[in-house]
Amino acid sequence: MLTRLLGLLALCATAATFTLAPNASQAQPLRIVIDDPTIEPLPFAVPSFQPESGEAGQLAVDLARVVSEDLTGTGLFREIPASAYISTVSDFNAPVEYADWKAINAQALITGAVNVTGNSVNVKFRVYDVFSGEELLDSSGQGGLQFSGTVDGWRRMAHKVADAVYSRITGEGGYFDSRVVFVSETGPKDDRQKRLAVMDYDGANLKYLTDSGSIVLAPRFSPSGDRVLYTSYESGFPRIYVLDIGTVQRRALQSAEGSMAFAPRFSPSGQTVVYSLSQGGNTDIFSMDINSGQSVRLTNTPAIETAPSFSPDGSRIVFESDRSGSPQLYVMPATGGEATRISFGEGRYGTPVWSPRGDLVAFTKQNKGRFHIGVMRLDGSEERLLTASFLDEGPTWAPNGRVIMFARETQGAGGSSSLYSVDISGRNLKPVRTPEGGSDPSWSPLQQ
């Protein structure tokens, strides 16, 4: 019952067919066809995890809270408060009193236990379908699932637990154990200070990667999540740099003197960079082998061609071009060649980004004085605008293709820029926590 219901909730926005992971009692996977049903968040309970060592008390409480915040933040789950509980969980291995959880309408129950030894942490957890009386993540009777790590990395373990729960119940991959690199902004609009920063997807564990000595733009994660491409004006012209997040060491990619290189993105292999190069009054798209520095021109028109983004399989590139008279979206082979226009609605289109699932392109749209974040199919059909404001721009996809993050700027001389996220159905629009203003977000893959 629980798997069927949450599969319906999570997949409604795509009107797609999806195969859920089978329950222990199912001989065959359940296949569900979804056609935009009404979403009602699924009620769940997550009592504080049980400490199994003297040092684990506060971590047990904190881990359960982050798991709850992750799930609730999706808009697909609703936590039942502890004040409503009839029974408590005081022993991780004790039988579940299903009747008590049914009485408060908890459809999912998450329990856990935490052990701390020195700097090492072990987290065990179980997930139950309350109404069927079924354990979802472990049907072997071996004690649920578990993750181990360090005390400093406890939040990552909480995100991993939430990812496992989310994935088992919805049938989709999770996205909580991921990071976001973005441009952190401070100061007034006419003297904005910008520097690169990286943080957990929920705003925790912020780390600055550059200082504010020069303008930085458009950071983009590598497929492995260990490097970032970005554009810097420190030389007076925009140049592309690649930065190692762990060491914060960087190097500039080769570019001809007097040219302007910007809008870089990695290929799915991480070995090639696609970017825009402006020289002699013309802007075209190039690709470069990141090790040898050898570049290849992919477009050659009088138009402005920019904002390239690879398909997940690396075979195609979607990009922005004004070759038709206004900025529109086009798709071409990754090796260059004939491009096909895919945007045909009213207004101007830009900053396209291919979904990790490969089925949609997210974009920025300007029309009638408003900016929007939208998605469309690869043939331009089923265009859907998810947001509208004075200025929304720069979408980036969560690793599972379910959520989009973007930058929103408010109007006026005192306006500020901040990060927001929204589900691809247009639901659950909410701000992303950052200590200062933010723009140009890029979502990492799941961490390894």
Side-chain angles (χ1 to χ4, degrees), residues 323-337:
R323 61 179 67 181
S324 64
S326 67
Q328 301 294 330
L329 306 185
Y330 293 80
V331 172
M332 67 178 175
T335 54

Side-chain angles (χ1 to χ4, degrees), residues 164-178:
V165 174
Y166 177 93
S167 181
R168 182 59 186 89
I169 294 177
T170 68
E172 296 186 337
Y175 60 91
F176 309 121
D177 185 28
S178 61

Side-chain angles (χ1 to χ4, degrees), residues 324-357:
S324 64
S326 67
Q328 301 294 330
L329 306 185
Y330 293 80
V331 172
M332 67 178 175
T335 54
E338 184 176 353
T340 301
R341 180 173 167 177
I342 65 170
S343 61
F344 294 96
E346 293 183 4
R348 302 155 65 94
Y349 294 79
T351 64
V353 192
W354 219 301
S355 165
R357 297 177 178 179

